[in-house]
Amino acid sequence: MSRAESRVCGPDVMEELLRLLARQIADGRMPHTRLCLIGIRTRGVPIAERLAALIGGDLPPVGAVDITLYRDDLGRQGHWPVLKGTDIPFEVDDAEVVLVDDVLHTGRTVRAAMNAVCDLGRPARVRLAVLIDRGGRELPIQADYSGKVFEVDSGDRIEVRLNPIDPVDEVVRVGLDSA
Amino acid sequence: MSTAPASAATWTRRHLLGLEELSAEEITAILDTAESFAEVSDRPRKKVPALQGKVVFNLFFENSTRTRTSFSLAAKRLSADVQDFSASTSSLSKGESFIDTARNIEAMGCDVMIVRHSISGAPHLLAKHVGSSVINAGDGAHEHPTQGLLDLLTIRRKKGRIEGLTVGLVGDIAHSRVARSNIWGLTKLGAKVILCGPPTLVPRSFEQLGCEVAYHLDDVLPRLDVINVLRIQAERQQRGLFPSVSEYFYFYGVTQQRILRSRPDVLLIAPGPINRGVELTPEVADGPHSAILDQVTNGLAVRMAVLYLVSGRASQGDRAD
């Protein structure tokens, strides 16, 4: 069996999705409350940085959260995953925190990220922004802001590729091709 | 709350028995992982659920307060269940063997054993007979790997690197397990190590480990980026390895005058407990070059990293390394 890859969107559409997300976050923000963005490592971080630039005005600060230590499947691994580190250089107390990730699938990553952020303080509220919502939830978690929503077969994978981590901005669907 | 990129992908071991058997990449993997855990200790809530459900036993067959406390706190910050074991109140005093004691503890569901023993090699022996992970918390005059690692982390955080630095270990090298772990760790990561102390405490044979041996501290001071002051162990002095503590202090004590003759950015570290007025003066211990309390903080991060890494390996349940 081989892996079949099909492109969901390229750089232009990706830019549109990011602008849409930034507008949703700006329109939905709490008045008189500090807004900050926290990207979920790995690809949530560059998305959060780009969203912050698109939101503009008083540029919201951007942090990064590593959810590894909060994973509910940690004990099932042969080896512990590599830690990439949490880096949140601002207070989350009383702030509006927007968690940012590339793909929302089962909801387990978001649950872990919420636990990690709430260990750092007590935000006024937490919102979730994702570039792609692919369905398949295993926990009752929904995105407040999403760029694109579509159902994907459970065996398929959605990969978001982003500069500067990847050579090109694109979203691809990777499936098993039995042919 | 900043952390360095980690490189723990190279970690595949079930035990941490010493730095001698580790590669430079494995040592770096532990230090990088420790950077992530240093951030946890800065949080308002200093706890993560990574080792929830794991059981960690402190098996201390030799007295220790700070190392045992540091390991206990590290395990608790990872949400493990921690149990202390004291040799003096155990069945060892009724004649039970070391290995049988460990096997009984393992039968209680132990995942990680942290072992301190006065006999060199005791943790290595245990690692061959139990399925749990074994962490060496100091064995005789052999190794104290987590102390070596926390020294490395402190140097790396303060100096930004280890490679190319010249580090002086001053004091009782012959009887020091800390010295051996430091020698292995520092030389593997590219530092030059100079051992300095009275000839009775610094045998020439240490040159075989790639170190320089010196007997006059004032001669080598200007070359040192880091001074690591080792404790003169009072219990050894009945054997008359040097004439008196005051004479030792005169020749090897780190004083303010000696700091002034050192490099302007010299870093001073020392494994506890320190003897003020013997190996160093109070003004040096508490002065701007000292990172002694940073070492204690970094010790927690290193021990969290080691517990995390060996537990991941232990979850496979294999006995053979």
Side-chain angles (χ1 to χ4, degrees):
Chain A
M1 291 212 291
S2 60
R3 279 158 35 108
E5 235 182 66
S6 62
R7 198 181 225 198
V8 176
C9 69
D12 293 344
V13 176
M14 174 92 86
E15 186 64 27
E16 277 304 307
L17 295 180
L18 288 169
R19 285 185 188 284
L20 173 67
L21 265 182
R23 199 161 54 244
Q24 289 178 61
I25 293 169
D27 291 348
R29 64 184 293 183
M30 284 176 86
H32 316 300
T33 306
R34 280 183 300 119
L35 173 69
C36 53
L37 306 184
I38 298 179
I40 301 173
R41 287 195 190 276
T42 301
R43 283 171 177 74
V45 180
I47 294 176
E49 284 165 351
R50 285 206 219 174
L51 289 175
L54 289 168
I55 290 168
D58 291 334
L59 211 62
V62 176
V65 64
D66 180 356
I67 56 102
T68 303
L69 298 172
Y70 291 80
R71 284 169 59 157
D72 58 7
D73 62 346
L74 199 51
R76 299 183 185 186
Q77 310 295 314
H79 295 85
W80 289 150
V82 175
L83 298 182
K84 294 176 180 142
T86 291
D87 183 7
I88 300 178
F90 47 79
E91 292 290 323
V92 298
D93 278 334
D94 302 319
E96 179 182 9
V97 171
V98 177
L99 280 174
V100 180
D101 205 359
D102 54 352
V103 179
L104 175 59
H105 183 201
T106 63
R108 292 177 189 272
T109 297
V110 176
R111 180 208 61 83
M114 284 195 290
N115 285 355
V117 167
C118 290
D119 274 358
L120 300 174
R122 188 178 188 279
R125 79 176 189 189
V126 180
R127 288 289 183 262
L128 174 63
V130 297
L131 192 68
I132 305 290
D133 179 347
R134 58 156 291 177
R137 224 73 80 233
E138 292 170 4
L139 294 174
I141 284 172
Q142 302 299 332
D144 299 285
Y145 315 118
S146 43
K148 189 175 177 67
V149 182
F150 61 101
E151 284 289 327
V152 177
D153 290 345
S154 59
D156 290 357
R157 208 168 63 240
I158 296 294
E159 289 185 6
V160 173
R161 295 168 186 165
L162 282 155
N163 265 314
I165 297 172
D166 306 297
V168 66
D169 283 353
E170 64 177 355
V171 179
V172 296
R173 180 179 184 150
V174 184
L176 288 177
D177 182 6
S178 54
Chain B
M1 298 184 186
S2 175
T3 56
S7 57
T10 55
W11 187 264
T12 56
R13 291 178 186 268
R14 186 160 60 95
H15 312 294
L16 176 70
L17 301 175
L19 299 192
E20 182 179 1
E21 54 258 40
L22 298 190
S23 66
E25 290 73 25
E26 287 171 316
I27 293 171
T28 302
I30 298 173
L31 300 182
D32 289 347
T33 305
E35 290 285 1
S36 289
F37 284 115
E39 173 264 317
V40 173
S41 294
D42 288 338
R43 297 179 183 182
R45 185 178 167 180
K46 301 170 177 60
K47 209 172 174 78
V48 290
L51 293 198
Q52 215 160 42
K54 298 276 183 185
V55 179
V56 175
F57 263 85
N58 276 323
L59 275 73
F60 279 61
F61 298 91
E62 193 183 68
N63 288 338
S64 161
T65 304
R66 72 191 64 215
T67 302
R68 195 187 65 225
T69 306
S70 181
F71 267 115
S72 289
L73 201 50
K76 286 172 184 170
R77 286 190 177 179
L78 295 170
S79 303
D81 292 323
V82 187
Q83 184 64 47
D84 282 338
F85 168 87
S86 170
S88 60
T89 57
S90 77
S91 293
L92 278 171
S93 59
K94 301 175 188 169
E96 187 181 55
S97 78
F98 174 53
I99 291 168
D100 281 340
T101 297
R103 281 180 169 160
N104 274 277
I105 284 169
E106 189 166 65
M108 292 183 221
C110 173
D111 296 293
V112 182
M113 292 183 188
I114 298 160
V115 182
R116 168 166 288 195
H117 206 289
S118 58
I119 297 173
S120 299
H124 300 69
L125 176 70
L126 209 56
K128 289 182 179 149
H129 289 88
V130 295
S132 313
S133 288
V134 176
I135 298 173
N136 181 0
D139 61 326
H142 176 229
E143 279 223 48
H144 191 349
T146 54
Q147 178 68 46
L149 289 162
L150 75 88
D151 289 343
L152 291 170
L153 183 65
T154 304
I155 295 169
R156 197 175 79 165
R157 295 189 105 189
K158 289 285 181 185
K159 293 284 186 186
R161 67 194 166 100
I162 289 170
E163 190 173 7
L165 295 178
T166 301
V167 181
L169 304 185
V170 181
D172 182 353
I173 308 299
H175 301 104
S176 174
R177 51 197 174 204
V178 175
R180 284 169 179 77
S181 287
N182 266 277
I183 290 167
W184 290 118
L186 287 163
T187 52
K188 285 179 184 197
L189 295 190
K192 178 176 179 54
V193 177
I194 301 177
L195 308 176
C196 186
T200 46
L201 298 180
V202 188
R204 281 271 174 213
S205 56
F206 274 85
E207 287 176 338
Q208 293 168 15
L209 302 182
C211 306
E212 182 180 328
V213 169
Y215 298 120
H216 299 287
L217 179 58
D218 289 319
D219 290 350
V220 297
L221 264 182
R223 294 165 56 198
L224 302 182
D225 297 295
V226 182
I227 307 171
N228 190 351
V229 181
L230 301 180
R231 187 169 68 92
I232 288 301
Q233 299 173 26
E235 60 271 27
R236 316 284 184 199
Q237 299 323 311
Q238 293 164 355
R239 291 158 56 187
L241 293 171
F242 56 82
S244 71
V245 166
S246 57
E247 187 184 289
Y248 178 86
F249 179 69
Y250 178 79
F251 284 108
Y252 300 104
V254 180
T255 60
Q256 189 60 27
Q257 289 72 30
R258 285 198 163 108
I259 288 289
L260 291 171
R261 290 201 298 275
S262 305
R263 292 184 172 177
D265 61 346
V266 72
L267 178 70
L268 181 94
I269 59 174
I274 57 171
N275 294 322
R276 291 168 185 258
V278 179
E279 301 101 8
L280 72 177
T281 60
E283 60 183 338
V284 170
D286 302 327
H289 296 275
S290 170
I292 293 172
L293 292 178
D294 296 288
Q295 287 175 274
V296 179
T297 306
N298 291 336
L300 258 177
V302 158
R303 289 174 179 124
M304 288 169 80
V306 169
L307 283 164
Y308 173 79
L309 291 170
V310 301
S311 296
R313 180 61 181 169
S315 67
Q316 292 189 105
D318 57 338
R319 277 182 180 246
D321 273 331

